[in-house]
């Protein structure tokens, strides 16, 4: 790959030659965060970023400057100027035990000095073998084989490919996948195909493979639709993929355990695989270790990522039953021909092993305390006129604001800007604001996040009373 180091400095040098650093900064950058001044180091960091980096889910035209973060600890991020920001969303749902937990940091440092990486075809190592065994030991019954990849999307791709190929290998090919409306399974093509349709998927729509859609179980009769699908196309159906009990990115929509049990009963009877995408719900997020555990359901395939390394390193895992694994035994054509350069990276596995060890009784108690406290906070805003609904599952609390629904809703952006000013990181999904904290958060810290939401709601009420739009 060609990387022209000079390029890196062109924009900055050109600008600073002409105008001097501060005005170059102002000319090159759009919207400053209100009231924020930047010293010379911060300015050059932001100039480099704005000249060369491309951010996820970000409209770069007219974007607010990203917040430069220097370090993190526990539930807190620290800006380069030292200002603390409470991470009430676990940095996109990955940070489980808290930022920079020393046990995980040390496991990573030690592994990096011992064995950085080795390809995982034809080789193995202690971190991967021990992690696989430790994961299986905590899995719902029947899940026995761990396939490593790099993130949640690839964990989903792997699960879908395993299901399809298991049928192909058995000589009874099935090609149809069913998924829930409002589901989110990631941004790669297979994961997008399985995800609900929206602004994320529109440009790619014609290229996404056919997926049978089942209605969102938080608002419709999914089981009746599944019965009809199995009646009509049961022998074509390879797998049903679900985010068990919580449609996360779709707006933190909570759904009933009995529906998950019903999906399990029906898929088992029809010989259809059940894929549980626990990328968000895994590792204690919904209370017990897995959301499937809440419903006492064992899927055929489970996808893991996000909390797997405690939020330190990218790693994905797809856990399969021995039966699915067995469908790949035989001659070479039955092989699962899938892998990634960094499959089972030892450093990531060492981080995951350390993170898993931290899921002890104490951590479980902390989650229960968070759950109880969140319930209290939600109860105190449930009847507010600016609130349409409140929802909770385990450590996840969500407030659906009155106003336009959908990912591009403006009320969420206003909420997020307000929270940031108050030193709390919240990133609403459209008009749904949620608190999804690292388990190390203290109850006063948690109260602070909810206080910011309550004060925002008061502002919305005041606007409403003045006759403005609630939006
Ligand atoms: C975040 C998420 C994914 C995608 O994971 P990435 O690591 O972002 O690719 C898949 N499924 C669910 C349920 C998720 O929440």
């Amino acid at each position: 790959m060609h990387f022209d180091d000079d390029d890196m400095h062109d924009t900055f040098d050109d600008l600073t030659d002409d105008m001097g650093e501060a005005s170059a900064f102002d000319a090159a950058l759009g919207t400053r965060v209100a009231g924020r001044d930047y010293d010379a180091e911060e300015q050059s960091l932001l100039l480099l970023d704005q000249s060369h980096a491309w951010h996820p889910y970000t409209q770069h035209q007219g974007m607010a400057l990203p917040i430069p973060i220097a370090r993190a600890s526990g539930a807190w991020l620290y800006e380069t100027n030292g200002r603390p920001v409470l991470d009430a969303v676990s940095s996109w749902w990955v940070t489980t035990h808290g930022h920079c937990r020393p046990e995980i940091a040390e496991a990573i440092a030690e592994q990096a000095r011992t064995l950085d990486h080795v390809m995982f075809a034809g080789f193995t190592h202690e971190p991967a073998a021990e992690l696989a065994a430790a994961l299986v030991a905590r899995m719902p019954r029947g899940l026995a084989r761990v396939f490593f990849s790099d993130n949640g999307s690839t964990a989903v791709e792997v699960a879908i490919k395993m299901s399809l190929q298991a049928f192909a290998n058995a000589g009874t090919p099935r090609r149809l996948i069913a998924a829930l409306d409002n589901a989110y399974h990631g941004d790669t093509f297979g994961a997008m195909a399985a995800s609900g349709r929206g602004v994320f998927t529109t440009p790619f729509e014609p290229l996404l493979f056919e997926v049978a859609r089942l209605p969102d179980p938080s608002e419709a009769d999914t089981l009746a639709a599944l019965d009809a699908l199995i009646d009509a196309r049961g022998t074509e159906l390879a797998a049903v993929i679900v985010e068990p009990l919580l449609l996360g990115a779709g707006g933190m929509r909570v759904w009933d355990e009995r529906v998950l049990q019903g999906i399990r009963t029906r898929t088992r009877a029809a010989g259809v695989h059940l894929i549980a995408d626990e990328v968000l719900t895994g590792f204690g997020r919904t209370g017990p270790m897995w959301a499937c555990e809440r419903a006492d359901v064992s899927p055929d395939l489970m996808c893991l990522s996000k909390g797997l390394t405690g939020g330190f390193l990218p790693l994905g895992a797809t856990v399969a039953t021995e039966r699915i694994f067995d469908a790949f035994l035989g001659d070479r054509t039955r092989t699962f021909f899938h892998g990634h350069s960094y499959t089972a990276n030892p450093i990531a596995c060492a981080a995951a092993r350390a993170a898993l060890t931290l899921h002890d009784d104490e951590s479980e108690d902390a989650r229960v305390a968070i759950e109880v406290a969140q319930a209290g906070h939600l109860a105190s805003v449930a009847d507010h006129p600016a609130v349409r609904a409140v929802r909770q599952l385990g450590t996840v609390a969500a407030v659906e604001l009155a106003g336009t629904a959908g990912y591009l809703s403006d009320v969420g952006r206003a909420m997020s800007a307000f929270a940031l000013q108050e030193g709390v990181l919240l990133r609403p999904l459209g008009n749904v604001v949620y608190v999804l904290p690292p388990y190390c958060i203290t109850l006063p810290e948690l109260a602070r996040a909810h206080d910011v939401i309550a004060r925002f709601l008061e502002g919305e009420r005041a606007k409403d009373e003045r006759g403005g739009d609630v939006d």
Side-chain angles (χ1 to χ4, degrees):
M1 201 197 306
H2 173 73
F3 181 72
D4 184 354
D5 195 41
D6 287 342
D7 266 1
M8 181 108 126
H9 304 291
D10 270 0
T11 318
F12 184 73
D13 288 345
D14 288 356
L15 287 163
T16 47
D17 280 356
D18 291 351
M19 310 191 232
E21 211 165 282
S23 55
F25 179 72
D26 282 325
L29 302 172
T31 324
R32 286 187 184 218
V33 175
R36 177 76 153 87
D37 284 319
Y38 302 96
D39 69 19
E41 261 177 56
E42 290 172 321
Q43 290 189 19
S44 61
L45 161 64
L46 287 167
L47 265 170
L48 291 178
D49 177 279
Q50 294 295 282
S51 306
H52 300 289
W54 191 338
H55 290 260
Y57 306 113
T58 300
Q59 175 46 262
H60 274 255
Q61 185 170 315
M63 74 181 270
L65 282 178
I67 294 129
I69 297 295
R71 61 192 185 85
S73 172
W76 295 90
L77 303 165
Y78 295 89
E79 291 187 38
T80 41
N81 65 357
R83 189 177 89 113
V85 177
L86 183 64
D87 187 356
V89 297
S90 297
S91 278
W92 265 348
W93 322 345
V94 301
T95 308
T96 47
H97 305 295
H99 288 280
C100 295
R101 248 319 260 260
E103 294 92 329
I104 304 174
E106 267 145 39
I108 289 171
E110 191 178 324
Q111 189 58 49
R113 283 191 292 265
T114 311
L115 171 65
D116 54 345
H117 189 64
V118 59
M119 57 196 275
F120 203 57
F123 295 86
T124 190
H125 45 80
E126 199 177 276
E130 286 192 4
L131 173 60
L135 280 172
V136 165
R138 301 187 78 150
M139 279 286 135
R141 67 190 169 278
L143 291 170
R145 290 280 171 174
V146 182
F147 189 97
F148 291 107
S149 62
D150 300 342
N151 56 64
S153 304
T154 54
V156 167
E157 299 287 341
V158 165
I160 291 174
K161 286 178 71 175
M162 278 180 175
S163 174
L164 295 173
Q165 195 183 335
F167 280 107
N169 283 357
T172 52
R174 295 185 178 196
R175 301 210 169 86
L176 186 62
I177 304 291
L180 301 175
D181 281 336
N182 292 324
Y184 177 73
H185 295 293
D187 290 345
T188 52
F189 266 83
M192 266 199 297
S195 296
R197 297 294 183 265
V199 282
F200 288 22
T201 54
T202 305
F204 315 104
E205 194 81 53
L207 298 174
L208 300 178
F209 59 75
E210 184 204 359
V211 166
R213 301 240 71 96
L214 298 169
D216 175 346
S218 75
E219 56 188 28
D221 190 348
T222 309
L223 294 179
L226 179 56
D227 284 336
L229 178 66
I230 288 173
D231 273 351
R233 304 182 68 182
T235 55
E236 288 171 68
L237 189 60
V240 175
I241 181 167
V242 299
E243 289 173 87
L245 308 185
L246 181 68
L247 295 161
M252 297 297 164
R253 297 155 184 263
V254 178
W255 56 284
D256 200 291
E257 290 158 21
R258 283 163 303 181
V259 179
L260 182 56
Q261 289 159 354
I263 294 175
R264 176 68 287 190
T265 314
R266 285 159 175 80
T267 48
R268 184 170 283 130
V272 172
H273 296 138
L274 173 60
I275 304 174
D277 176 356
E278 294 237 16
V279 169
L280 163 61
T281 52
F283 302 100
R285 227 357 115 189
T286 72
M289 197 65 170
W290 320 110
C292 282
E293 235 177 289
R294 287 188 77 106
D296 195 24
V297 154
S298 295
D300 301 285
L301 291 154
M302 193 189 272
C303 308
L304 306 173
S305 187
K306 293 211 165 99
L308 177 54
T309 63
F312 277 66
L313 287 167
L315 182 66
T318 306
V319 192
T321 59
E322 202 66 18
R323 184 159 177 196
I324 289 180
F325 179 76
D326 286 347
F328 290 79
L329 301 179
D331 68 49
R332 293 202 56 199
T333 62
R334 296 165 71 95
T335 305
F336 189 52
F337 288 113
H338 185 109
H340 299 278
S341 318
Y342 283 101
T343 299
N345 172 256
I347 304 172
C349 288
R353 205 171 36 161
L356 200 56
T357 308
L358 293 173
H359 283 284
D360 53 13
D361 292 346
E362 202 183 317
S363 170
E364 201 173 328
D365 292 347
R367 299 202 304 267
V368 172
I370 290 169
E371 181 168 347
V372 171
Q374 298 257 65
H377 292 302
L378 284 181
S380 69
V381 297
D383 298 326
H384 195 284
V387 171
R388 186 170 296 147
V390 298
R391 301 192 272 275
Q392 183 180 19
L393 188 66
T395 67
V396 182
V399 178
E400 184 173 339
L401 305 174
T404 325
Y407 188 82
L408 300 179
S409 156
D410 286 334
V411 66
R413 291 170 59 180
M415 162 89 248
S416 146
F418 174 78
L420 207 53
Q421 261 174 25
E422 303 294 315
V424 176
L425 168 54
L426 292 170
R427 192 183 157 94
L429 296 153
N431 63 326
V432 178
V433 58
Y434 61 90
V435 178
L436 192 157
Y439 307 145
C440 68
I441 198 167
T442 64
L443 297 184
E445 287 165 348
L446 191 61
R448 189 174 164 141
H450 283 276
D451 176 60
V452 164
I453 295 174
R455 281 190 286 131
F456 180 80
L457 293 174
E458 278 313 297
E460 290 294 287
R461 190 220 296 267
K463 252 201 304 188
D464 208 26
E465 279 164 4
R466 286 197 310 270
D469 194 336
V470 199
D471 271 2

